Amino acid sequence: MAQARLDRRDQITGWAFIAPALILLGLFMIYPIVWSLWMSFQVGKGMNLSFGGFANIMRLTKDPVFLRALGNTFTFFIVQVPIMIVLALLFAVALNDSTLRFRGLFRTAIFLPCVTSLIAYSTVFKSMFATDGIINEALMAVHLIGAPIGWFSDPFWAKVAIILAITWRWTGYNMIFYLAALQNIDRSIYEAARIDGVPAWARFRYLTIPMLKPVILFTTVISTIGTLQLFDEVYNFTAGNGGPSDSTITLSLYIYNLTFKFMPSFGYSATVSWVIVVVVGILSFLQFLVARDRRRSA
Amino acid sequence: MSHLTLKAVRKSYGSVEVIKGIDLAIKAKEFVVFVGPSGCGKSTLLRMIAGLEHISGGDLEIGGKRMNDVDPSKRGIAMVFQSYALYPHMTVRENMGFALRFAGVAKEQIAKQVAEAARILALEPLLDRVPKELSGGQRQRVAIGRAIVRNPQVFLFDEPLSNLDAELRVHMRIEIARLHKELQTTMIYVTHDQVEAMTLADTIVVLRDGLVEQVGKPLELYDNPSNQFVAGFIGSPRMNFMAAKVVEAGSGTVTVALTKQGNVRITLPLTAAPAIGSDVTLGVRPEHFGLAAAGDADLAVNVDVAEHLGATSYLYANTGTGEQLIIEREELRNELGKESLTVSIRAANSYLFDNSGQRLR
Ligand SMILES: Nc1ncnc2c1ncn2[C@@H]1O[C@H](COP(=O)(O)OP(=O)(O)OP(=O)(O)O)[C@@H](O)[C@H]1O
Ligand SMILES: [Mg+2]
């Protein structure tokens, strides 16, 4: 009996300790999330709202800009995340080789982009990708292209520029996770494989990748979430309009425009926000499914 | 089943030389054990043979072919690591068969070789487990199995048993001895456990500071160490060393006085004649002390600590001069609490070393 009473008192003490954090979390996270769910069923402009049931969801299916934003976001996700993950893996493996000279320098150089200021880097990239910018000049100088590429006037190249920019910025961030994981792998595993005649590509494919699987899964999910929320780069490169002609508009940018740029349509923009949540949920679930240990589940 | 030859093999890391010129001939089918204190270069030497470390100087030949610059996988060797180095995400079966896939071995052949190795090592019931579901001893057996399936000419072991508890270590030691008998391959084994060295080896190589101190059969090293280092290193508990001075040198004998043991004198047979008055060291193994008056000289000692192991007893004794002696006596188990003791030493069981640690014979 005494033991049970003590337990309850311990519990109360425990809850008391985390109560301040819980209250703040509830107030600034849980309440807005629940409220936004409620909002997503409201229709109307500005403050003039009324309950609309599934009207917003119906509107989604007929909204060409939303469908455009959804398509663009998926394009960024499908193209950019795999490229970045593979690059980060390759960099990590290369930088983990103890015979490589200037490892620290390379490591820092590749990691640095993700701690630079967003505005600074997008401004620099914008000027680099300008029609008379350094990238066009360089490509023309080596005769790869005859005429300057309209990076921000051509729908295709605009997407390419944004993918290049976010890949530049986030590859090093993912690489650090892989490097940390690689450094925890017993070196003699690779030495044993070398002695046994396992070729380098097979050591990468059949040893490194399976051993890094949990980290790869983690970075993939994180990158998926990041890409689905892609906003800053597009906003800065296209002066906030996702141009040319909505070819780079993302879901997040559309939400922003719906809320703050056009006649505010809070209910509908909340609905679009929830689309991101649902898509992230589905994609993460799929990724966990794919990465699941097949032998164990069989 | 290849023989190995090392000729003036050297290894430097930058300006630090860790292997300082080693000559060694290892016969086919021989079980050779490298022993030596921590940091003496045992692992480095083994890794150079394996091809994991570049050889800075000298020649390495395996089966009569120079192997200095040959890829590790083409040297006909297999290595077992202290950390087991198993592939954590693969089953025991996959661990053993993995490398064979890249050697162009057919699937059925891989299965056959894995089954054969599993039989030899009694791993059959474990074939579908992953390493984390195995005990330390089982993991080490898998690591050995992974080496066996490749049919190597030479097995290399780097302290394979040092992560196991004492009981398992004895068990695995016997397993390895049995394996050597069954496979009849050359084996090179690194350890700093001298019981492993004494029991497994055909030949022991004692290393110190990147140099070979002595090469020989286990009992040869025990009975006839060529210097004070080997005398102290082989044998457990280690040999007692007592400071001594040459007081008389006759024809074929020399008499020394144990300067820190009350100038007790003992006469030993000796062909080399050290100068009278020179400092020497007398070595006596703990198990070679006898009952009082049963030897050639008697020592009176005070007992600090007595350890009774059942079969035998170790006495840690001193003579008040800072020289501590370890005395092993089987019959002393009944004489607990005895403070002082007289023991004898025999000339036949004593070793004499000169100032530089070389054996005087
Ligand atoms: N990569 C390295 N760089 C510089 N020095 C090294 C390197 N590897 C080993 N050494 C040095 O070489 C010497 C021999 O090391 P080695 O690992 O061969 O010792 P060991 O005899 O196996 O010791 P232990 O019994 O502790 O395993 C040591 O003094 C060590 O400090
Ligand atoms: Mg070692």
Side-chain angles (χ1 to χ4, degrees):
Chain A
M1 275 310 282
Q3 191 59 44
R5 249 204 318 275
L6 199 71
D7 277 350
R8 191 164 313 140
R9 256 185 46 199
D10 280 351
Q11 277 188 10
I12 291 169
T13 317
W15 283 106
F17 268 111
I18 58 169
L22 270 188
I23 290 167
L24 289 174
L25 271 178
L27 203 61
F28 292 106
M29 293 231 6
I30 302 180
Y31 171 70
I33 287 172
V34 174
W35 182 246
S36 79
L37 189 59
W38 167 246
M39 283 289 288
S40 68
F41 293 102
Q42 307 283 320
V43 290
K45 301 253 179 218
M47 287 294 117
N48 185 13
L49 293 172
S50 61
F51 186 77
F54 290 105
N56 281 336
I57 295 173
M58 299 312 289
R59 182 176 163 189
L60 283 177
T61 59
K62 281 172 270 165
D63 178 353
V65 185
F66 166 75
L67 294 176
R68 198 71 191 270
L70 189 66
N72 287 343
T73 306
F74 262 101
T75 310
F76 287 135
F77 161 66
I78 298 275
V79 177
Q80 194 266 333
V81 172
I83 290 179
M84 178 176 66
I85 297 286
V86 170
L87 264 183
L89 254 177
L90 293 178
F91 281 140
V93 170
L95 288 183
N96 194 42
D97 182 347
S98 57
T99 57
L100 183 74
R101 302 240 268 153
F102 309 118
R103 282 199 298 165
L105 190 73
F106 287 129
R107 200 180 302 183
T108 316
I110 296 172
F111 183 67
L112 224 45
C114 79
V115 293
T116 52
S117 141
L118 229 152
I119 300 295
Y121 115 85
S122 7
T123 310
V124 172
F125 263 68
K126 203 173 161 183
S127 81
M128 279 170 35
F129 280 108
T131 311
D132 57 351
I134 187 166
I135 293 191
N136 274 334
E137 307 248 298
L139 290 177
M140 286 192 352
V142 296
H143 299 289
L144 267 174
I145 51 172
I149 294 174
W151 290 101
F152 295 114
S153 53
D154 181 288
F156 173 76
W157 290 113
K159 284 200 186 75
V160 171
I162 284 168
I163 287 173
L164 284 175
I166 48 183
T167 305
W168 177 85
R169 185 165 159 92
W170 293 110
T171 300
Y173 179 76
N174 289 290
M175 178 195 75
I176 290 295
F177 287 100
Y178 299 145
L179 255 182
L182 281 174
Q183 285 175 356
N184 271 327
I185 296 178
D186 180 4
R187 263 185 52 196
S188 47
I189 288 181
Y190 288 104
E191 292 177 341
R194 255 180 75 199
I195 291 183
D196 289 353
V198 180
W201 68 265
R203 295 200 291 268
F204 179 71
R205 169 67 188 81
Y206 296 109
L207 299 181
T208 305
I209 292 194
M211 286 191 284
L212 291 188
K213 202 163 83 175
V215 189
I216 294 176
L217 174 64
F218 170 75
T219 54
T220 309
V221 170
I222 294 289
S223 306
T224 302
I225 294 171
T227 309
L228 287 181
Q229 296 181 344
L230 181 63
F231 172 81
D232 311 70
E233 282 82 358
V234 184
Y235 185 89
N236 283 317
F237 286 179
T238 64
N241 60 26
S245 58
D246 288 340
S247 66
T248 59
I249 194 165
T250 62
L251 288 174
S252 297
L253 186 59
Y254 187 45
I255 293 166
Y256 178 84
N257 289 347
L258 279 176
T259 318
F260 300 114
K261 224 171 157 185
F262 311 148
M263 182 66 177
S265 168
F266 292 121
Y268 187 52
S269 65
T271 313
V272 180
S273 308
W274 276 90
V275 170
I276 296 187
V277 174
V278 171
V279 171
V280 165
I282 293 174
L283 287 178
S284 304
F285 177 74
L286 286 179
Q287 286 160 1
F288 273 101
L289 211 63
V290 169
R292 197 178 45 177
D293 196 335
R294 256 176 238 117
R295 202 175 57 79
R296 292 288 111 185
S297 57
Chain B
M1 286 131 279
S2 286
H3 62 278
L4 261 92
T5 321
L6 279 70
K7 288 180 195 147
V9 166
R10 287 170 187 281
K11 172 77 192 174
S12 311
Y13 290 109
S15 61
V16 188
E17 194 166 47
V18 294
I19 300 289
K20 301 170 181 168
I22 286 188
D23 294 290
L24 209 56
I26 296 171
K27 292 195 281 288
K29 301 186 189 179
E30 200 173 11
F31 199 122
V32 176
V33 174
F34 293 170
V35 287
S38 192
C40 70
K42 306 180 294 288
S43 298
T44 307
L45 191 59
L46 197 74
R47 292 167 58 82
M48 285 158 81
I49 295 172
L52 294 173
E53 299 284 350
H54 176 75
I55 297 174
S56 311
D59 291 311
L60 165 72
E61 289 177 9
I62 301 177
K65 282 217 299 278
R66 189 172 183 277
M67 291 287 181
N68 285 42
D69 304 309
V70 175
D71 188 79
S73 62
K74 307 224 157 63
R75 295 186 180 199
I77 49 138
M79 185 156 167
V80 176
F81 292 82
Q82 179 178 356
S83 60
Y84 320 130
L86 297 179
Y87 311 130
H89 54 290
M90 296 186 195
T91 61
V92 169
R93 190 194 307 278
E94 289 163 345
N95 258 287
M96 293 201 282
F98 178 61
L100 295 179
R101 287 162 48 186
F102 306 99
V105 183
K107 258 204 170 105
E108 314 81 71
Q109 181 62 23
I110 295 179
K112 226 175 87 193
Q113 273 167 260
V114 168
E116 171 67 4
R119 184 193 62 76
I120 295 176
L121 294 161
L123 284 171
E124 282 121 333
L126 308 176
L127 280 174
D128 292 310
R129 296 207 197 162
V130 289
K132 68 165 182 278
E133 298 163 348
L134 301 176
S135 73
Q138 292 168 337
R139 286 179 206 184
Q140 196 53 280
R141 288 220 300 275
V142 177
I144 295 173
R146 194 172 62 182
I148 290 179
V149 293
R150 297 187 56 233
N151 280 324
Q153 302 292 301
V154 182
F155 277 94
L156 307 177
F157 295 89
D158 191 355
E159 307 205 26
L161 309 185
S162 57
N163 285 354
L164 304 180
D165 65 42
E167 200 178 328
L168 250 175
R169 203 146 62 209
V170 174
H171 177 73
M172 285 303 293
R173 199 171 76 207
I174 296 165
E175 290 269 297
I176 289 176
R178 186 178 60 81
L179 201 67
H180 180 238
K181 233 171 155 176
E182 184 164 347
L183 299 178
Q184 294 283 316
T185 44
T186 315
M187 292 190 174
I188 305 179
Y189 188 105
V190 166
T191 181
H192 54 232
D193 180 321
Q194 54 155 303
V195 180
E196 275 171 35
M198 297 295 284
T199 52
L200 287 171
D202 296 320
T203 303
I204 294 182
V205 178
V206 182
L207 294 167
R208 176 167 79 160
D209 255 351
L211 284 170
V212 174
E213 288 285 321
Q214 192 174 354
V215 180
K217 292 196 175 66
L219 289 181
E220 233 169 70
L221 298 193
Y222 176 84
D223 291 333
N224 214 350
S226 65
N227 55 52
Q228 194 175 340
F229 177 78
V230 175
F233 197 80
I234 302 287
S236 167
R238 67 199 307 266
M239 185 185 279
N240 297 292
F241 295 114
M242 293 172 263
K245 228 179 198 37
V246 178
V247 289
E248 241 181 83
S251 60
T253 62
V254 65
T255 304
V256 297
L258 301 177
T259 45
K260 292 190 175 169
Q261 307 285 352
N263 279 322
V264 168
R265 291 180 176 220
I266 182 166
T267 305
L268 300 114
L270 201 72
T271 18
I276 288 177
S278 60
D279 290 321
V280 291
T281 304
L282 186 82
V284 179
R285 293 197 184 276
E287 58 272 33
H288 289 155
F289 286 100
L291 295 172
D296 301 316
D298 279 357
L299 298 178
V301 297
N302 307 313
V303 179
D304 296 324
V305 178
E307 289 178 347
H308 300 286
L309 304 184
T312 189
S313 297
Y314 296 123
L315 307 182
Y316 296 82
N318 74 78
T319 50
T321 53
E323 250 179 22
Q324 189 163 59
L325 300 179
I326 306 174
I327 299 166
E328 180 183 354
R329 293 301 305 156
E330 283 166 32
E331 72 284 3
L332 282 178
R333 62 177 293 167
N334 298 321
E335 303 190 29
L336 297 167
K338 202 164 179 177
E339 292 288 296
S340 61
L341 190 71
T342 305
V343 289
S344 65
I345 51 178
R346 300 169 67 108
N349 287 332
S350 300
Y351 304 86
L352 211 54
F353 305 97
D354 70 13
N355 238 344
S356 62
Q358 286 310 302
R359 172 92 180 273
L360 294 167
R361 296 171 195 266

